[in-house]
Amino acid sequence: MLTGCLRKGSKSTRLKMALMLLVLSCQFVHVLSEKSSSALTVLESTETSLDDEDAHHMEEESDPEDLDVFRPTDQWQSLKPGQAVPRGSHVRLNLQTRQREVKLGEHQIIKYQIDGQRQGKENTPGPSFNAEELKKALKNIKEGVDPETSDKEKEEEEALRAQFRPMEELKRDMAKLDMLMESDFQVISRLMSQFNSSNTTVEEKIKALHDLEYLVHQVDNAQNLASRGGLKLVVDALNSTDYRLQESAAFVLGSALSSNPVVQVEAVESGTLQKLLMLLATPRPMSVKKKALFAVASLLRHFPFAQSHFLKLGGLQVLGDLFRASEGGALRVRIVTILYDMINEKELISQTGLDPIPDASHNERLVQYAQVSLMPLLAEQGWCSLVPELLASPEHDWKEKALRTILAMMPHCQTQYRQDYTLSSSLHTLQEQYQELVLSEQVLGDEDGYFGEILALLETVLLKLK
Ligand SMILES: *[C@@H]1O[C@H](CO)[C@@H](O)[C@H](O)[C@H]1NC(C)=O
Ligand SMILES: *[C@@H]1O[C@H](CO)[C@@H](O)[C@H](O)[C@H]1NC(C)=O
Ligand SMILES: *[C@@H]1O[C@H](CO)[C@@H](O)[C@H](O)[C@H]1NC(C)=O
């Protein structure tokens, strides 16, 4: 039962993709204006062809004199209204902040390099024009429409024309570059069909998954992959016969699912959880299990629907068996982290429920989290005594994770813990150890150190056992 809220999520993604496509196909200069709520005003800058409406637009709303030319870098940066962007920049709309963001497009990076080489300036790979020149060029465009241009200005215009390569030549170059360069969208398509081809060797498939994993860290890329059937290909690879493919597929999934509700919904709907749990429940190399746990954690995070599904599929049982089987292993802390995150999320959402005016989606989430009855199951399946086993690990942060989880489970485990003398004696031993560590921390001048934090956790747990 998926909620309307989630469905809305995937609709807005389609809108977002459409917007991105629109934006990426724009030419030369985008003039963004706050007044036109239709978002983008696109300026086609051939020598003369500003159509009247655009020219009018520009005169009214953004005098090119005042135009601020944005200098993109290889990072996404927010664009202010009225800022112009050099051709080839990637522009996207951030739906959360409602701001437009821009970064250097691959075309530009390459173009700068090619231009640099042509002019024999290999050591100075920079733009072939600077912000001032671009401003002038924009001014020029406007004046090209204006008949009253003084001779001096005309000379300047000629000089500028000479500086800038003719549009036709630029277009030819761009066409060549388009053949050489691929957008993320194209790369994903290529990797998908490579991966899906019966001709591709296992090594090549692993390489393709590796490249995909890099790309899907970007929210839009992961959604592209999902919307074009690529996610299903990756999910299917989870039960391929080759362990390395299983591992790489789980890795791609974990990254694609991280903080990406649209992909999380799609993944649950295509049976990802069953396959991941199958990897965890059957004998596999450690590397496969680690990546599968990573994917499970990404899938469950902030997604109560997947969490209740996980419980229904017996996920807790699978994790319990894995915990028992991996004594002292690094899997244990990963498992406890997944549990802790689920308990904590639900706790946090019920606390923010005390806000005076909770919105509709918040209420929806409350309802969904209410259906995740994790705690009783945890107690029933022996987690009250499993989690404290992590206290024996040599790692401080593992012990910290165990203590936090013990505290989180306290309401359901308290009775059991009060009768558990092994637990209280190991807690007391730890208390002594950390008291000493805190002292040595203080000698080094660290008053609020990490060991102090762990000691405080220990004392809170001990207090609750009294
Ligand atoms: C597989 O490779 C062969 C030769 O390399 C080629 O002729 C054939 O078209 C390829 N098939 C597919 C489905 O790509
Ligand atoms: C994978 O290949 C099959 C045929 O070999 C095709 O039917 C399917 O649509 C392809 N899937 C994707 C996502 O390209
Ligand atoms: C993977 O599992 C599904 C069912 O979960 C099955 O239909 C499919 O044939 C399996 N594929 C392989 C390669 O084992």
Side-chain angles (χ1 to χ4, degrees):
M1 186 202 69
L2 288 178
T3 70
C5 162
L6 291 169
R7 295 214 183 280
K8 252 181 260 152
S10 61
K11 232 182 261 166
S12 77
T13 309
R14 253 173 262 137
L15 170 69
K16 193 167 175 182
M17 271 181 57
L19 270 173
M20 278 190 58
L21 286 175
L22 166 77
V23 162
L24 289 175
S25 65
C26 292
Q27 298 271 309
F28 191 53
V29 168
H30 306 286
V31 176
L32 305 178
S33 121
E34 197 146 50
K35 284 184 206 162
S36 68
S37 63
S38 63
L40 292 175
T41 310
V42 180
L43 276 183
E44 271 277 0
S45 153
T46 56
E47 280 88 352
T48 51
S49 77
L50 271 181
D51 71 55
D52 286 345
E53 200 177 293
D54 274 356
H56 182 69
H57 228 91
M58 226 176 112
E59 260 178 41
E60 232 184 35
E61 299 190 358
S62 50
D63 188 333
E65 270 298 34
D66 304 327
L67 261 186
D68 190 4
V69 175
F70 191 83
R71 301 292 301 271
T73 67
D74 57 353
Q75 303 291 327
W76 287 110
Q77 295 180 78
S78 291
L79 200 59
K80 294 198 191 73
Q83 278 187 318
V85 177
R87 174 182 185 163
S89 307
H90 284 316
V91 181
R92 71 177 181 192
L93 180 65
N94 183 328
L95 284 184
Q96 258 143 29
T97 62
R98 295 270 151 205
Q99 296 219 323
R100 285 175 192 83
E101 297 174 337
V102 70
K103 74 169 182 177
L104 213 53
E106 290 90 339
H107 287 142
Q108 290 173 309
I109 297 168
I110 294 277
K111 179 175 169 323
Y112 294 167
Q113 284 164 357
I114 290 176
D115 282 347
Q117 278 158 13
R118 184 165 22 216
Q119 292 159 18
K121 292 192 290 187
E122 280 91 337
N123 295 335
T124 53
S128 53
F129 49 81
N130 61 32
E132 266 323 298
E133 287 167 340
L134 193 52
K135 268 195 209 178
K136 272 195 196 168
L138 284 165
K139 184 162 179 265
N140 226 30
I141 292 162
K142 188 191 164 198
E143 282 165 354
V145 183
D146 185 350
E148 287 175 56
T149 312
S150 76
D151 283 353
K152 190 162 178 298
E153 279 173 330
K154 271 185 187 142
E155 271 171 40
E156 277 178 3
E157 192 182 317
E158 287 307 312
L160 261 170
R161 285 241 170 94
Q163 243 177 315
F164 283 85
R165 286 180 296 143
M167 199 58 194
E168 285 313 308
E169 195 186 313
L170 264 175
K171 276 185 179 162
R172 263 202 314 276
D173 276 9
M174 291 311 285
K176 275 187 219 153
L177 285 166
D178 277 338
M179 285 191 291
L180 294 176
M181 291 298 307
E182 291 174 296
S183 64
D184 282 2
F185 194 83
Q186 290 167 313
V187 176
I188 289 171
S189 293
R190 180 171 54 78
L191 291 173
M192 269 169 56
S193 55
Q194 211 174 346
F195 186 78
N196 196 23
S197 158
S198 50
N199 266 359
T200 311
T201 66
V202 171
E203 271 68 28
E204 288 165 338
K205 285 189 177 183
I206 291 169
K207 174 76 170 49
L209 286 175
H210 180 87
D211 292 349
L212 270 179
E213 194 278 326
Y214 174 80
L215 286 166
V216 296
H217 282 269
Q218 259 202 30
V219 170
D220 303 303
N221 285 343
Q223 292 176 2
N224 273 336
L225 182 73
S227 67
R228 288 185 299 150
L231 196 71
K232 188 172 180 313
L233 289 182
V234 177
V235 170
D236 286 346
L238 285 178
N239 65 339
S240 92
T241 47
D242 194 295
Y243 288 148
R244 294 166 303 163
L245 275 177
Q246 297 169 3
E247 179 191 340
S248 305
F251 192 26
V252 174
L253 279 175
S255 301
L257 292 164
S258 287
S259 315
N260 204 331
V262 176
V263 182
Q264 283 175 300
V265 171
E266 173 100 12
V268 167
E269 284 179 342
S270 47
T272 307
L273 256 178
Q274 289 92 320
K275 290 210 166 76
L276 288 172
L277 290 176
M278 209 254 298
L279 288 185
L280 293 173
T282 48
R284 312 275 159 164
M286 183 65 114
S287 57
V288 174
K289 302 233 174 190
K290 278 186 181 167
K291 294 292 192 289
L293 273 179
F294 168 53
V296 168
S298 299
L299 183 52
L300 299 185
R301 197 168 302 128
H302 299 301
F303 191 13
F305 173 77
Q307 292 176 13
S308 32
H309 201 50
F310 167 83
L311 295 180
K312 279 184 207 126
L313 289 170
L316 213 48
Q317 187 76 48
V318 171
L319 292 192
D321 293 343
L322 194 57
F323 187 97
R324 291 183 183 91
S326 66
E327 208 170 316
L331 291 183
R332 287 191 156 193
V333 70
R334 289 163 204 253
I335 293 169
V336 170
T337 302
I338 291 176
L339 301 181
Y340 175 75
D341 287 347
M342 280 199 281
I343 302 171
N344 204 33
E345 252 173 46
K346 188 170 174 175
E347 186 60 27
L348 286 178
I349 193 113
S350 62
Q351 280 170 12
T352 53
L354 302 175
D355 285 350
I357 316 166
D359 61 16
S361 81
H362 177 85
N363 285 336
E364 183 59 49
R365 292 174 76 78
L366 271 183
V367 169
Q368 292 204 355
Y369 274 107
Q371 285 162 1
V372 184
S373 56
L374 175 64
M375 277 310 309
L377 271 179
L378 279 177
E380 198 180 298
Q381 297 192 9
W383 286 98
C384 292
S385 51
L386 281 181
V387 173
E389 287 183 26
L390 203 56
L391 288 174
S393 95
E395 310 286 336
H396 295 296
D397 53 341
W398 294 15
K399 281 185 261 201
E400 183 202 346
K401 184 62 74 182
L403 288 168
R404 290 192 188 280
T405 312
I406 288 170
L407 273 177
M409 296 191 306
M410 193 56 83
H412 284 79
C413 300
Q414 198 166 35
T415 321
Q416 181 180 334
Y417 285 161
R418 282 190 170 143
Q419 294 157 1
D420 188 341
Y421 298 108
T422 325
L423 175 63
S424 64
S425 88
S426 70
L427 285 170
H428 279 112
T429 311
L430 283 174
Q431 189 185 25
E432 280 166 30
Q433 286 170 4
Y434 278 98
Q435 276 164 347
E436 277 177 34
L437 287 168
V438 167
L439 282 180
S440 61
E441 224 171 25
Q442 283 167 349
V443 167
L444 295 171
D446 198 351
E447 288 294 332
D448 310 303
Y450 182 49
F451 297 139
E453 211 175 296
I454 296 182
L455 183 60
L457 281 172
L458 272 165
E459 283 166 353
T460 315
V461 174
L462 280 167
L463 206 64
K464 304 234 175 203
L465 297 195
K466 284 215 170 101

